Amino acid sequence: MRIGELARRTGTTPKAIRLYESRGLLGTVARAGSYRHYGEADVARVLLIRQAQALGFRLSELDGLPHIDTAAGWERMAQLVAGRRAAVAQELARLAALDTQLAVLEAELHTCDTLAVPVTPQACAAPPALPVMPPEHKSAPFSAATTAGAARFASP
């Protein structure tokens, strides 16, 4: 098949396929005169490249792709995937910490709204977290927290 058909079957462009070839990601491409001829292995490889890009890999990281059908190639790709998973885990931890900070800010804003306190940097600090009580005891800690919070905000 020619480059146009390969592009159509893989959802990419001839320009991208030429780029993959120039970077050595497709290995040696058969030619008949000035025309490139691609096979099913090239379709699979282009789809793999596109999947890797969708998962956040850069083309420069995929240099070992032409040798993926060897033990060393599989090992290299497995290392790349493991590294990418570690980066995703770090990003998840960062996002979890960000979510915690947003929850604290949200609690502070609700505290200010509940107490009808003018907004100042000190006024919106959320009261310390209270232990979770059974449903029949929830009103006492809430009123105590509200009283403590109101007392704290009353003084300038």
Side-chain angles (χ1 to χ4, degrees), residues 8 13 23 25 28 31 40 52-53 70 77 110 122 141:
R8 189 172 61 264
T13 64
R23 295 190 68 112
L25 298 176
T28 303
R31 293 180 184 263
E40 292 304 315
Q53 286 182 300
T70 66
M77 293 308 293
H110 285 298
Q122 298 80 20

Side-chain angles (χ1 to χ4, degrees), residues 111-112 114-117 122-128 130 141-155:
T111 300
C112 283
T114 301
L115 299 175
V117 176
Q122 298 80 20
C124 286
L130 298 173
F142 178 75
S143 61
T146 305
T147 306
R152 187 177 84 194
F153 294 130
S155 60

